[in-house]
Amino acid sequence: RMKRPLAALVLACASQAQAAPQTLTLTCAVAYMPARSTWVREVELAWDGNTLTRVRIDGLTPHSFSVDADRIATAIDNERIQIDLTLAQWTSDFRGLASGQGRCDTVAPS
């Protein structure tokens, strides 16, 4: 089965949304430096119509998030996070003290 880019899946979920919200779950394997450790992060995105209404990361809902074209930006526990849906990539930093980068894959659209 051929993989579609995440941005295409997001648009497909948004266009199919009716009254009930649509969700898309991603897993992102993020390599953190300088610790050289890898963590698998879970991201849940929810739409109501054509609007992204909720972002959850590892079960936590950030205070706020922003969407710029195909990129989502948010923060949790001093980690500034960007998820590029076109490149299917996670990038983050802890106020310049550490950074993370990794690939995101779709778990299950619902």
Side-chain angles (χ1 to χ4, degrees):
R1 166 173 105 166
M2 196 169 167
K3 283 189 174 181
R4 292 194 297 176
L6 289 178
L9 284 171
V10 168
L11 291 173
C13 285
S15 67
Q16 293 172 7
Q18 302 289 328
Q22 295 280 341
T23 61
L24 179 68
T25 303
L26 312 171
T27 57
C28 302
V30 183
Y32 287 98
M33 298 301 275
R36 297 181 188 222
S37 61
T38 300
W39 289 26
V40 176
R41 310 295 300 267
E42 182 177 275
V43 179
E44 180 183 297
L45 307 173
W47 289 266
D48 185 8
N50 290 324
T51 305
L52 183 64
T53 59
R54 187 180 70 224
V55 174
R56 290 179 59 105
I57 298 174
D58 298 334
L60 301 173
T61 302
H63 178 69
S64 66
F65 62 89
S66 64
V67 180
D68 180 22
D70 294 332
R71 186 174 300 215
I72 299 166
T74 191
I76 290 185
D77 296 335
N78 291 320
E79 181 179 13
R80 293 176 290 200
I81 302 163
Q82 291 189 359
I83 301 169
D84 187 315
L85 298 172
T86 301
L87 299 175
Q89 185 172 4
W90 167 298
T91 55
S92 63
D93 75 68
F94 290 92
R95 302 194 182 275
L97 300 175
S99 63
Q101 185 170 353
R103 174 115 181 112
C104 297
D105 294 304
T106 305
V107 173
S110 60

